[in-house]
Amino acid sequence: MRVAVVGSGFAGSLLARVLKVQGHDVVLLERGTHPRFAIGESSTPLANLALERLARRYGLDDCYDLAAHGRWIKRFPELRRGLKRGFTFYRHHPGRPFAVQGARSERLLVAASPNDHVADTHWLRADVDHHFVRAAIAAGVDYRDRSEVTPETLKRLKVDFTVDASGAGGFLARHLGVPSHLERMHTRAGLLFSHFDGARLIRNAVPGLPAGPYPDDWAAVHHVIEEGWLYSLRFDHGVTSAGFLLKQSVAGAPEEMWRCLLQRYPTLGALFGDAKPLFPIAYEPRIQHRLAHAAGRGWAMLPHAYAFVDPLFSTGIAWSLRAIERLALCCEHARAPREQELTRYDALLSAEADQIDWLVAGAYLAMSRFELFAAQAMIYFAAVSFAEVRQRVAPSDDVAWSGFLGVGDRVLGGVPRASLWRLRHARTPQDRRDFIDWVTRSIAARNVCGLANPAVHGLYPVDLGVLVQRHATLGMSRESLISALPALRGADRRSLISDH
Ligand SMILES: Cc1cc2nc3c(=O)[nH]c(=O)nc-3n(C[C@H](O)[C@H](O)[C@H](O)COP(=O)(O)OP(=O)(O)OC[C@H]3O[C@@H](n4cnc5c(N)ncnc54)[C@H](O)[C@@H]3O)c2cc1C
């Protein structure tokens, strides 16, 4: 099959390479050139598991090494990245520094890995995307940059199948007239962002923070404020990617908006007041997009071309990699995807876009009360930690077609939608207590990591002891779970690759 992949972000380049490895004739078209600045940087355990599966199935050993911080720095020290040990959240109030109040601190830390070696990473996308393009070229993909692609280009190239990996560029949406379904989305936020040099560490700006399960800064850090939230992703070379997601615009030019928000929240001012933007601070009034279809006869879109909700919970990279796995499976044995496979792909992406949107929109509603927000976050952590543990103890390529974020799961599938409804109706203190109890009950049958536990005061380590206690939740005996522990600790699985 002759395939065109339009867009050479990491996702387009990686899919193009996989298709080439499968024996297809692949052209990768990029309107810009590499290296280039991009955001969307924080990976997760599910993203890394997908990278490892792709590595194993298609013999891409670089993907295996890029799936853990320790392996990455050993093999690719020149590709810049940051250590990500977990998800850190704080709630800030206008005019007041972040208050350390012991067990009552509005602080939530959820560890995603047991140590630095197997930890997740923040991807400096300029370097990582460039790496994936070079690897695609080395595999034999016909890469053409500075290409303004049109339907005529594709006709001239005589392609049988087109993958739209143009992200928010929306190549196929424009050329095929795929309608927008933005009105379906509940999440609404603008983005004010850049990369910064000289941002301070939280532990230096907030004295007296009790030790958590990992150092607070080495994480995807989320600062929740009245206007929305700020992400802060630190790279190992000292640069920080940061951006405010704003429910409503703040007056002024982007630099003024940035300054004004830092002034309003003293701890954010302490963290970023002296930091220098490496690129002009930019503002986009709305970052969500959503289309009516993700696939049709002769074409498919990768998730970021089809829909984007919000960076909250770092869903984009993992979702994109899952979709790459699905499309790659459809193209094995030198064939084009069948119509029913594309229908299935389209339906799954649609359900997953809704699921992310419900979860994130609920989290925005919950932001006004940190205890509600923390409860809503537990739905995300229950879904991803259950999926992660299952994938680690029973690895299988069928995972590609399982729903992302609990889609299709009889226990968790309906929870994000129901939680959004409940949050909309939670008005009194009793409603809020009921909501927290409801979350705890709703995730119980998937809660393999001891989430929603008031006794830990918002500090969740990776606790394999809890996991062993909950072996029945995974349908496993205590003994079989104990024998699977090396896989859960992230023991080196290179042997699986060399066996390929
Ligand atoms: C503010 C923000 C923060 C995010 N944070 C996270 C995060 O922390 N973790 C996470 O997992 N995800 C995050 N995401 C999502 C993440 O950015 C995406 O999932 C990811 O970038 C998708 O990669 P991609 O390769 O599909 O697309 P992109 O990275 O968008 O690449 C698209 C490529 O297509 C090219 N292109 C566009 N139009 C055309 C055209 N017409 N012809 C040819 N080429 C074209 C572009 O030049 C670009 O190179 C974030 C997104 C945003 C907006």
Side-chain angles (χ1 to χ4, degrees), residues 14 43-58 60 63-68 71 112 118-121 123 317-322 325 383-400 402 404 486-491 493 496-497:
L14 181 54
S43 82
T44 59
L46 289 182
N48 288 324
L49 279 163
L51 268 183
E52 289 181 3
R53 281 193 300 273
L54 287 162
R56 196 167 61 231
R57 195 169 182 91
Y58 302 108
L60 315 178
C63 291
Y64 176 77
D65 286 324
L66 291 171
R71 299 198 299 260
V118 298
D120 303 322
T121 40
W123 298 5
I317 297 176
W319 195 29
S320 299
L321 291 168
R322 186 77 66 89
E325 291 184 271
V384 293
S385 56
F386 182 73
E388 179 193 349
V389 171
R390 282 255 290 242
Q391 291 176 30
R392 287 198 192 280
V393 296
S396 147
D397 290 321
D398 296 342
V399 163
S402 66
F404 187 57
L488 292 160
R489 283 198 200 94
R493 287 177 291 278
L496 293 173
I497 302 233

